[in-house]
Amino acid sequence: MVTFEDQLRILRSGAAEVIPDAQFDLLLRESLDAGKPLRVKLGLDPTAGHVHLGWTVVLRKLRQFQDLGHKAVLIIGSFTAQVGDPSGKSETRKPLSAEQVREYAEALLDQFRLVLDMREEVLELRWNSEWLAAMRMDDVLRLTSQYTVARMLERDDFAKRHAEGRPISLVEFLYPLMQGYDSVVVGADIELGGTDQTFNLLVGRDLQERIGHGRPQAVLTMPLLEGTDGVQKMSQSLGNYIGITEPADEMFGKLMRIPDALMAKYYRLVTDLSPWQVDEIEATLSVGELHPAEAKRRLAWEIVRMYHGEAAADEARAHFDRIHKDRQLPLAGGMDTAKLTSECVKADDTVWLPKLLVALGLAGSNGEARRLVAQRGVRVDGVVVAGEDIAAKELRGRVLQVGRRKFVHLV
């Protein structure tokens, strides 16, 4: 059995804040003394169909609780997703239909299985439309009476929008109350969330105390994960994300692009290494015993291994090294193949390269393709292409390369 001190270190590792600090420790100690697992709640709205590493920060923390013998209570926001979480938003979100939410939820649950232990013994899966859709008007009024408009405007995003004269709908004011009411219904001991969820999580504490007739939950927040740009929060809309179902080569390559300064954060938040192992990596990096490039290669390998297995991680590393370290072309089976179709070949048996790049999906437009050629970003069998026109015979059976990571074998 893992000791109280070790559990505490594992569960607090990487956390941004624990509220209230002492209560969290007390709940954990009482749980271990009584042999009764904690009920650890995480609510997620299915507003997208793909899970990226940013999502896995809280999912992995929930998995740590599971591995230590506690009960995960995963709430799918089947009702709240239709409203839209206003947290961190500068304008009112567009609502989703019930059909859209259901489609997203099914896709996400398939991917959650790559992170969480989905067995009923350690996971309680709930949909908040069970209780929120069934509420009557008097239930809603009783809930809204627990909070004032002034209290809601203490939220940073609401306060900013109010000061700037941007609209805030009454429905958005209801969102924190609905999320908090989830905690009342499931009897959460601890709730997890990102730092952008702190206000909502504290509403859950308040509602448990006021109408739940029980001890309020403790709150553990996790940092938001910056994306591959190293600046903004990982997001599909910003294109700086790494999806957990992406091909191993793509995942490895994207991870090798993150700034060195983010490596320690990624190690601690999105790998399954223990706090002790991460501490050792940080220590060897700080004294120069471990080169940053090698640390990043290990980071990429560890994450790819988690979602694709060791063999795929080894292959992805070898593929990356072959192209970026040894400056060689990828192996024949490691790239897409395409036919050099007749519509790309002119009457004199030459090919206008920009048109071919667009046809193969290697560039978004003729203008972008011409810039790539002008910037010496296009190669054939590793040799830079100097002009926009090239003989078709120089392309057939060759490897067309754009940038460092896009390859197509022309057959």
Side-chain angles (χ1 to χ4, degrees):
M1 180 178 176
V2 183
T3 65
F4 167 76
E5 290 75 17
D6 285 348
Q7 284 211 23
L8 204 58
R9 182 174 180 186
I10 292 168
L11 296 174
R12 282 179 171 271
S13 178
E17 194 173 11
V18 178
I19 311 170
D21 202 72
Q23 183 188 339
F24 179 87
D25 295 3
L26 179 61
L27 284 168
L28 182 60
R29 185 175 289 281
E30 289 179 350
S31 165
L32 295 180
D33 289 345
K36 181 181 179 181
L38 292 169
R39 291 177 61 77
V40 186
K41 171 198 169 191
L42 173 62
L44 294 170
D45 284 350
T47 56
H50 299 283
V51 177
H52 56 64
L53 289 181
W55 280 57
T56 70
V57 173
V58 287
L59 288 169
R60 294 216 66 78
K61 183 57 65 177
L62 187 61
R63 177 59 187 262
Q64 287 177 349
F65 276 96
Q66 287 184 301
D67 291 342
L68 293 171
H70 303 290
K71 187 68 173 275
V73 183
L74 179 63
I75 297 181
I76 303 299
S78 49
F79 190 91
T80 46
Q82 296 180 61
V83 175
D85 183 4
S87 298
K89 303 301 177 185
S90 60
E91 57 186 24
T92 301
R93 291 185 61 167
K94 294 180 180 179
L96 297 175
S97 69
E99 292 74 19
Q100 286 176 303
V101 170
R102 187 164 49 251
E103 288 176 7
Y104 285 147
E106 290 173 358
L108 293 180
L109 283 172
D110 281 341
Q111 295 166 68
F112 287 168
R113 290 178 172 84
L114 299 175
V115 181
L116 297 175
D117 186 340
M118 303 296 285
R119 293 176 301 145
E120 289 185 10
E121 309 93 87
V122 292
L123 180 101
E124 181 179 315
L125 181 62
R126 305 291 296 272
W127 304 71
N128 66 11
S129 53
E130 292 176 35
W131 50 86
L132 293 178
M135 292 182 78
R136 304 188 320 174
M137 180 56 74
D138 57 338
D139 298 320
V140 175
L141 292 176
R142 182 168 67 101
L143 188 60
T144 55
S145 70
Q146 305 302 317
Y147 264 71
T148 65
V149 171
R151 179 76 174 92
M152 285 295 182
L153 287 175
E154 290 178 13
R155 267 182 53 148
D156 291 341
D157 46 7
F158 284 162
K160 184 177 180 181
R161 284 161 62 181
H162 181 66
E164 295 174 351
R166 293 177 178 269
I168 305 170
S169 74
L170 291 177
V171 172
E172 289 180 287
F173 273 172
L174 284 174
Y175 188 94
L177 294 174
M178 289 187 286
Q179 181 175 331
Y181 190 65
D182 291 350
S183 293
V184 174
V185 172
V186 302
D189 295 312
I190 294 171
E191 183 170 10
L192 307 181
T195 51
D196 58 345
Q197 292 288 315
T198 302
F199 183 91
N200 295 353
L201 306 183
L202 294 177
V203 171
R205 274 181 56 81
D206 291 343
L207 292 181
Q208 282 181 316
E209 196 166 25
R210 296 176 188 181
I211 65 176
H213 310 296
R215 181 163 55 177
Q217 65 188 15
V219 166
L220 188 152
T221 61
M222 298 299 294
L224 304 180
L225 188 72
E226 293 87 354
T228 53
D229 57 0
V231 179
Q232 302 208 61
K233 181 180 78 169
M234 188 173 287
S235 166
Q236 290 184 51
S237 61
L238 295 175
N240 65 351
Y241 71 99
I242 302 169
I244 66 173
T245 57
E246 288 187 33
D249 290 345
E250 287 290 318
M251 184 180 287
F252 196 100
K254 285 185 176 183
L255 285 161
M256 290 299 292
R257 298 209 309 269
I258 68 169
D260 290 353
L262 280 180
M263 280 195 292
K265 188 172 187 178
Y266 270 62
Y267 266 116
R268 197 166 294 279
L269 297 182
V270 295
T271 74
D272 56 8
L273 298 180
S274 72
W276 297 270
Q277 291 172 301
V278 177
D279 288 346
E280 183 180 352
I281 291 169
E282 287 187 287
T284 53
L285 268 171
S286 65
V287 298
E289 292 179 6
L290 178 62
H291 193 280
E294 286 306 308
K296 196 177 293 184
R297 288 173 79 253
R298 180 181 174 184
L299 172 67
W301 185 90
E302 292 285 357
I303 294 175
V304 172
R305 173 192 59 78
M306 288 162 54
Y307 298 105
H308 295 282
E310 286 193 15
D314 288 342
E315 290 177 8
R317 181 172 56 193
H319 176 82
F320 182 88
D321 288 349
R322 179 179 176 84
I323 297 168
H324 299 277
K325 193 175 178 182
D326 303 331
R327 298 292 193 269
Q328 297 181 35
L329 294 174
L331 298 174
M335 69 182 90
D336 293 332
T337 60
K339 289 184 178 180
L340 184 60
T341 55
S342 57
E343 56 264 26
C344 291
V345 181
K346 296 189 289 187
D348 60 356
D349 205 37
T350 61
V351 173
W352 188 50
L353 208 51
K355 182 177 181 180
L356 177 62
L357 295 180
V358 173
L360 295 175
L362 298 174
S365 65
N366 287 341
E368 179 189 350
R370 296 187 72 178
R371 285 193 296 275
L372 287 168
V373 174
Q375 294 166 2
R376 299 174 61 83
V378 181
R379 298 170 183 260
V380 174
D381 277 1
V383 179
V384 174
V385 178
E388 294 181 1
D389 290 303
I390 186 170
K393 66 180 180 179
E394 298 297 325
L395 290 171
R396 294 188 179 99
R398 307 292 178 86
V399 174
L400 182 62
Q401 176 184 351
V402 175
R404 297 283 292 276
R405 301 175 61 242
K406 296 180 180 178
F407 299 88
V408 173
H409 184 208
L410 295 170
V411 296

